[in-house]
PDB file of all heavy atoms in Angstrom:
ATOM      1  N   ALA A  32     -28.454  25.020  66.557  1.00  0.00           N
ATOM      2  CA  ALA A  32     -28.459  26.163  67.533  1.00  0.00           C
ATOM      3  C   ALA A  32     -28.865  27.446  66.801  1.00  0.00           C
ATOM      4  O   ALA A  32     -29.611  28.243  67.590  1.00  0.00           O
ATOM      5  CB  ALA A  32     -26.943  26.334  67.921  1.00  0.00           C
ATOM      6  N   SER A  33     -28.592  27.599  65.572  1.00  0.00           N
ATOM      7  CA  SER A  33     -29.094  28.755  64.916  1.00  0.00           C
ATOM      8  C   SER A  33     -30.635  28.729  64.782  1.00  0.00           C
ATOM      9  O   SER A  33     -31.232  29.772  65.019  1.00  0.00           O
ATOM     10  CB  SER A  33     -28.492  28.878  63.445  1.00  0.00           C
ATOM     11  OG  SER A  33     -27.201  29.079  63.449  1.00  0.00           O
ATOM     12  N   ARG A  34     -31.233  27.524  64.548  1.00  0.00           N
ATOM     13  CA  ARG A  34     -32.722  27.586  64.608  1.00  0.00           C
ATOM     14  C   ARG A  34     -33.330  27.975  65.950  1.00  0.00           C
ATOM     15  O   ARG A  34     -34.239  28.612  66.042  1.00  0.00           O
ATOM     16  CB  ARG A  34     -33.133  26.114  64.199  1.00  0.00           C
ATOM     17  CG  ARG A  34     -32.945  25.770  62.743  1.00  0.00           C
ATOM     18  CD  ARG A  34     -33.777  24.461  62.427  1.00  0.00           C
ATOM     19  NE  ARG A  34     -33.452  23.341  63.251  1.00  0.00           N
ATOM     20  CZ  ARG A  34     -32.474  22.488  62.974  1.00  0.00           C
ATOM     21  NH1 ARG A  34     -31.673  22.670  61.850  1.00  0.00           N
ATOM     22  NH2 ARG A  34     -32.217  21.371  63.695  1.00  0.00           N
ATOM     23  N   ARG A  35     -32.686  27.386  66.983  1.00  0.00           N
ATOM     24  CA  ARG A  35     -33.078  27.712  68.250  1.00  0.00           C
ATOM     25  C   ARG A  35     -33.002  29.176  68.629  1.00  0.00           C
ATOM     26  O   ARG A  35     -33.927  29.777  69.259  1.00  0.00           O
ATOM     27  CB  ARG A  35     -32.349  26.887  69.354  1.00  0.00           C
ATOM     28  CG  ARG A  35     -32.691  25.391  69.414  1.00  0.00           C
ATOM     29  CD  ARG A  35     -32.013  24.747  70.666  1.00  0.00           C
ATOM     30  NE  ARG A  35     -30.680  24.757  70.764  1.00  0.00           N
ATOM     31  CZ  ARG A  35     -29.807  23.858  70.086  1.00  0.00           C
ATOM     32  NH1 ARG A  35     -30.298  22.891  69.562  1.00  0.00           N
ATOM     33  NH2 ARG A  35     -28.549  23.927  70.277  1.00  0.00           N
ATOM     34  N   LYS A  36     -31.944  29.772  67.997  1.00  0.00           N
ATOM     35  CA  LYS A  36     -31.902  31.316  68.199  1.00  0.00           C
ATOM     36  C   LYS A  36     -33.067  32.092  67.528  1.00  0.00           C
ATOM     37  O   LYS A  36     -33.542  33.016  68.102  1.00  0.00           O
ATOM     38  CB  LYS A  36     -30.508  31.744  67.724  1.00  0.00           C
ATOM     39  CG  LYS A  36     -29.306  31.243  68.594  1.00  0.00           C
ATOM     40  CD  LYS A  36     -28.029  31.571  67.915  1.00  0.00           C
ATOM     41  CE  LYS A  36     -26.821  30.845  68.633  1.00  0.00           C
ATOM     42  NZ  LYS A  36     -25.640  30.941  67.848  1.00  0.00           N
ATOM     43  N   VAL A  37     -33.406  31.516  66.380  1.00  0.00           N
ATOM     44  CA  VAL A  37     -34.434  32.196  65.672  1.00  0.00           C
ATOM     45  C   VAL A  37     -35.780  32.081  66.350  1.00  0.00           C
ATOM     46  O   VAL A  37     -36.566  32.998  66.427  1.00  0.00           O
ATOM     47  CB  VAL A  37     -34.550  31.611  64.184  1.00  0.00           C
ATOM     48  CG1 VAL A  37     -35.935  32.131  63.540  1.00  0.00           C
ATOM     49  CG2 VAL A  37     -33.346  31.936  63.377  1.00  0.00           C
ATOM     50  N   TYR A  38     -35.964  30.858  66.856  1.00  0.00           N
ATOM     51  CA  TYR A  38     -37.196  30.626  67.657  1.00  0.00           C
ATOM     52  C   TYR A  38     -37.120  31.502  68.862  1.00  0.00           C
ATOM     53  O   TYR A  38     -38.263  32.029  69.290  1.00  0.00           O
ATOM     54  CB  TYR A  38     -37.328  29.134  68.082  1.00  0.00           C
ATOM     55  CG  TYR A  38     -37.303  28.106  66.946  1.00  0.00           C
ATOM     56  CD1 TYR A  38     -36.866  26.806  67.187  1.00  0.00           C
ATOM     57  CD2 TYR A  38     -37.686  28.369  65.682  1.00  0.00           C
ATOM     58  CE1 TYR A  38     -36.843  25.827  66.088  1.00  0.00           C
ATOM     59  CE2 TYR A  38     -37.707  27.437  64.742  1.00  0.00           C
ATOM     60  CZ  TYR A  38     -37.323  26.258  64.903  1.00  0.00           C
ATOM     61  OH  TYR A  38     -37.326  25.371  63.804  1.00  0.00           O
ATOM     62  N   GLY A  39     -36.101  31.649  69.584  1.00  0.00           N
ATOM     63  CA  GLY A  39     -36.014  32.439  70.716  1.00  0.00           C
ATOM     64  C   GLY A  39     -36.176  33.896  70.425  1.00  0.00           C
ATOM     65  O   GLY A  39     -36.939  34.569  71.056  1.00  0.00           O
ATOM     66  N   LEU A  40     -35.710  34.346  69.262  1.00  0.00           N
ATOM     67  CA  LEU A  40     -36.038  35.859  68.799  1.00  0.00           C
ATOM     68  C   LEU A  40     -37.529  36.021  68.537  1.00  0.00           C
ATOM     69  O   LEU A  40     -38.037  37.036  68.868  1.00  0.00           O
ATOM     70  CB  LEU A  40     -35.117  36.150  67.543  1.00  0.00           C
ATOM     71  CG  LEU A  40     -33.643  36.192  67.835  1.00  0.00           C
ATOM     72  CD1 LEU A  40     -32.971  36.295  66.414  1.00  0.00           C
ATOM     73  CD2 LEU A  40     -33.188  37.330  68.729  1.00  0.00           C
ATOM     74  N   ASN A  41     -38.136  35.026  67.876  1.00  0.00           N
ATOM     75  CA  ASN A  41     -39.583  35.151  67.693  1.00  0.00           C
ATOM     76  C   ASN A  41     -40.405  35.125  68.952  1.00  0.00           C
ATOM     77  O   ASN A  41     -41.222  35.914  69.032  1.00  0.00           O
ATOM     78  CB  ASN A  41     -40.093  33.954  66.740  1.00  0.00           C
ATOM     79  CG  ASN A  41     -39.663  34.076  65.382  1.00  0.00           C
ATOM     80  OD1 ASN A  41     -39.665  33.184  64.619  1.00  0.00           O
ATOM     81  ND2 ASN A  41     -39.097  35.167  64.931  1.00  0.00           N
ATOM     82  N   LEU A  42     -39.946  34.273  69.799  1.00  0.00           N
ATOM     83  CA  LEU A  42     -40.678  34.235  71.286  1.00  0.00           C
ATOM     84  C   LEU A  42     -40.510  35.581  71.851  1.00  0.00           C
ATOM     85  O   LEU A  42     -41.381  36.082  72.559  1.00  0.00           O
ATOM     86  CB  LEU A  42     -40.150  33.105  72.011  1.00  0.00           C
ATOM     87  CG  LEU A  42     -40.712  31.698  71.622  1.00  0.00           C
ATOM     88  CD1 LEU A  42     -39.963  30.607  72.407  1.00  0.00           C
ATOM     89  CD2 LEU A  42     -42.167  31.540  71.839  1.00  0.00           C
ATOM     90  N   LEU A  43     -39.303  36.016  71.800  1.00  0.00           N
ATOM     91  CA  LEU A  43     -38.953  37.437  72.424  1.00  0.00           C
ATOM     92  C   LEU A  43     -39.855  38.403  71.917  1.00  0.00           C
ATOM     93  O   LEU A  43     -40.460  39.396  72.669  1.00  0.00           O
ATOM     94  CB  LEU A  43     -37.423  37.794  72.302  1.00  0.00           C
ATOM     95  CG  LEU A  43     -37.041  39.000  73.019  1.00  0.00           C
ATOM     96  CD1 LEU A  43     -37.223  38.859  74.576  1.00  0.00           C
ATOM     97  CD2 LEU A  43     -35.551  39.164  72.678  1.00  0.00           C
ATOM     98  N   PHE A  44     -40.055  38.585  70.603  1.00  0.00           N
ATOM     99  CA  PHE A  44     -40.979  39.489  70.010  1.00  0.00           C
ATOM    100  C   PHE A  44     -42.359  39.313  70.489  1.00  0.00           C
ATOM    101  O   PHE A  44     -42.992  40.284  70.819  1.00  0.00           O
ATOM    102  CB  PHE A  44     -40.884  39.315  68.397  1.00  0.00           C
ATOM    103  CG  PHE A  44     -41.821  40.265  67.682  1.00  0.00           C
ATOM    104  CD1 PHE A  44     -41.492  41.645  67.572  1.00  0.00           C
ATOM    105  CD2 PHE A  44     -42.992  39.834  67.116  1.00  0.00           C
ATOM    106  CE1 PHE A  44     -42.338  42.465  66.840  1.00  0.00           C
ATOM    107  CE2 PHE A  44     -43.878  40.684  66.496  1.00  0.00           C
ATOM    108  CZ  PHE A  44     -43.550  41.965  66.276  1.00  0.00           C
ATOM    109  N   VAL A  45     -42.877  37.993  70.449  1.00  0.00           N
ATOM    110  CA  VAL A  45     -44.152  37.822  70.866  1.00  0.00           C
ATOM    111  C   VAL A  45     -44.312  38.175  72.369  1.00  0.00           C
ATOM    112  O   VAL A  45     -45.320  38.892  72.880  1.00  0.00           O
ATOM    113  CB  VAL A  45     -44.589  36.440  70.784  1.00  0.00           C
ATOM    114  CG1 VAL A  45     -45.936  35.981  71.337  1.00  0.00           C
ATOM    115  CG2 VAL A  45     -44.661  36.054  69.196  1.00  0.00           C
ATOM    116  N   ALA A  46     -43.345  37.857  73.194  1.00  0.00           N
ATOM    117  CA  ALA A  46     -43.376  38.208  74.629  1.00  0.00           C
ATOM    118  C   ALA A  46     -43.467  39.806  74.837  1.00  0.00           C
ATOM    119  O   ALA A  46     -44.274  40.197  75.901  1.00  0.00           O
ATOM    120  CB  ALA A  46     -42.116  37.606  75.297  1.00  0.00           C
ATOM    121  N   THR A  47     -42.769  40.507  74.099  1.00  0.00           N
ATOM    122  CA  THR A  47     -42.848  42.042  74.351  1.00  0.00           C
ATOM    123  C   THR A  47     -44.326  42.460  74.000  1.00  0.00           C
ATOM    124  O   THR A  47     -44.761  43.362  74.733  1.00  0.00           O
ATOM    125  CB  THR A  47     -41.820  42.692  73.349  1.00  0.00           C
ATOM    126  OG1 THR A  47     -42.132  42.376  72.007  1.00  0.00           O
ATOM    127  CG2 THR A  47     -40.391  42.362  73.731  1.00  0.00           C
ATOM    128  N   ALA A  48     -45.010  41.848  72.931  1.00  0.00           N
ATOM    129  CA  ALA A  48     -46.375  42.309  72.628  1.00  0.00           C
ATOM    130  C   ALA A  48     -47.274  42.017  73.839  1.00  0.00           C
ATOM    131  O   ALA A  48     -48.072  42.745  74.196  1.00  0.00           O
ATOM    132  CB  ALA A  48     -46.747  41.628  71.357  1.00  0.00           C
TER     133      ALA A  48
END
Side-chain angles (χ1 to χ4, degrees):
S33 297
R34 286 196 302 275
R35 290 193 295 270
K36 291 169 189 174
V37 174
Y38 302 152
L40 292 171
N41 287 168
L42 286 172
L43 186 59
F44 177 76
V45 172
T47 59

